[in-house]
């Protein structure tokens, strides 16, 4: 498998965690997002969305969208599971992951911040947009865990929810979001960071880190 | 089950289609999004994200995030399937649905357009933002179907991909996006609209339509 990513891409980071948790090796290659490499003709031929990650399987099939890729990895390599078997529990974990991926991250990623600057707004307005999107979204995620004991988001082991959470908290700090009202999210992050699969996936551990 | 929705919510519409395809009945209740009812104390107690849809199960459990709800319905009522059994095919369908839900819809929904107006931008700039987000995102979705015969997005029956597509094409027209370069998307939409499950879920067929 070849994973096309970028060291600081939240979405590629999710897939790195999932690969590590599953013990699956991939050849890691990189698109420099700030230099627009994800929109080169070669990149668009692989992923017409002009995004990372893209996972190229042995037979050449290309998978996109990080949560879909994580579920694919969970289905071909069920152990350890990223989702439990109970449909209600699966739905709550998927909802948590989507609340981050769609409602927070997709609204504050580089592409959206560039579009805000395209409206004639300065960088600090774009940064405030990212801050506000994260600061409004994360408390809802904290609330979604109100009946969950931890230490991970949903129980005693990492799931798709934790895979979405950890990179988003990194973004939160990057944009100066105060996290002191979110003890459950921070506890889940701490539980994750004790695992080598999460530690090895961190941006500053990647070969293309700057 | 109780489905909290809004007639013109793209996300609630997805769940209505899934319920109809599965032959599952729900008590439909409404949050008037333009009047902010989704952010009332009662609504936030049910869904801290301040969004629709929320699906309340018989035992009081609350499910959020439309794609997670659709997969839940698919798991408790497998027939007709919203996803095939093959992991690769499932991943491609999920990726298509997420490409719409996260990369397009989440970036052009009412909440985001209100935030753009909060930057001091007029309504026509917010509308252009929605137009551009959809006009950039849908061609990638068309490309994701390049090897799929149809008539639906992925084969001979509707899947999670079609559930995501049909409401997004409605939004595309609402914001004046030209669709003439997307024959596969339009063919899939036509196949869906011939099905009562899709027709009955349309916004103008809902009790709270204005």
């Amino acid at each position: 498998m070849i994973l096309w990513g970028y060291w600081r891409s939240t979405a590629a980071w999710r897939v790195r965690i999932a690969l590590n948790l599953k013990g699956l090796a991939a050849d890691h290659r990189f698109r420099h997002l700030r230099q627009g490499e994800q929109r080169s003709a070669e990149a668009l031929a692989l992923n017409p969305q002009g995004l990372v990650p893209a996972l190229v399987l042995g037979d050449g099939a290309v998978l996109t969208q990080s949560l879909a890729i994580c579920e694919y990895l969970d289905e071909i390599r069920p152990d350890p599971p990223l989702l439990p078997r109970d449909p209600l529990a699966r739905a709550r974990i998927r909802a948590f992951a989507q609340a981050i991926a769609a409602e927070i991250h997709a609204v504050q990623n580089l592409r959206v911040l560039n579009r805000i600057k395209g409206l004639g707004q300065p960088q600090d307005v774009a940064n405030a947009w990212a801050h506000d999107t994260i600061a409004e979204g994360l408390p809802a995620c904290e609330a979604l865990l109100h009946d969950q004991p931890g230490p991970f988001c949903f129980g005693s082991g990492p799931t798709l929810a934790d895979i979405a959470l950890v990179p988003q908290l990194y973004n939160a700090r990057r944009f100066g979001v105060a996290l002191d009202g979110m003890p459950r999210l921070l506890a889940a992050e701490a539980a994750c960071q004790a695992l080598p699969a999460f530690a090895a996936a961190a941006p500053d551990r990647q070969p293309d880190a700057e």
Side-chain angles (χ1 to χ4, degrees), chain A:
Chain A
M1 292 189 292
I2 299 167
L3 178 65
W4 287 96
Y6 177 65
W7 65 291
R8 212 153 63 168
S9 158
T10 303
W13 186 351
R14 295 176 195 139
V15 176
R16 290 197 300 267
I17 299 168
L19 286 166
N20 291 348
L21 284 169
K22 296 295 185 179
L24 291 166
D27 176 7
H28 291 260
R29 301 187 193 174
F30 309 100
R31 308 274 191 214
H32 197 299
L33 297 193
R34 292 194 174 272
Q35 294 176 7
E37 288 182 357
Q38 73 281 12
R39 299 209 155 268
S40 70
E42 178 216 341
L44 288 172
L46 205 65
N47 180 4
Q49 296 160 81
L51 298 169
V52 294
L55 185 71
V56 185
L57 306 183
D59 64 358
V62 181
L63 297 183
T64 65
Q65 288 293 324
S66 61
L67 297 183
I69 294 173
C70 290
E71 291 223 33
Y72 171 80
L73 298 174
D74 201 37
E75 292 178 357
I76 63 163
R77 177 74 64 102
D79 195 49
L82 303 183
L83 291 171
R85 301 187 64 134
D86 173 59
L88 180 61
R90 294 163 69 83
R92 290 193 59 192
I93 292 168
R94 285 185 176 127
F96 183 96
Q98 290 166 16
I100 288 178
E103 313 299 345
I104 303 176
H105 177 245
V107 185
Q108 60 93 155
N109 65 16
L110 180 62
R111 200 164 49 120
V112 170
L113 299 190
N114 282 338
R115 186 174 287 167
I116 290 167
K117 291 195 282 185
L119 296 178
Q121 301 285 344
Q123 183 68 47
D124 65 337
V125 168
N127 289 349
W129 172 288
H131 172 281
D132 294 352
T133 300
I134 301 169
E136 289 171 22
L138 282 181
C141 295
E142 174 85 10
L144 289 174
L145 303 185
H146 74 281
D147 60 350
Q148 296 294 319
F152 292 90
C153 285
F154 290 87
S156 58
T159 67
L160 192 65
D162 302 280
I163 288 174
L165 175 65
V166 168
Q168 191 62 56
L169 289 178
Y170 172 95
N171 276 3
R173 293 187 184 94
R174 198 175 146 201
F175 290 103
V177 176
L179 296 171
D180 45 311
M182 307 177 205
R184 276 292 285 111
L185 300 186
L186 293 177
E189 181 192 39
C192 291
Q193 285 174 335
L195 301 179
F198 280 82
D204 59 6
R205 298 274 298 273
Q206 306 316 306
D208 61 328
E210 291 167 6

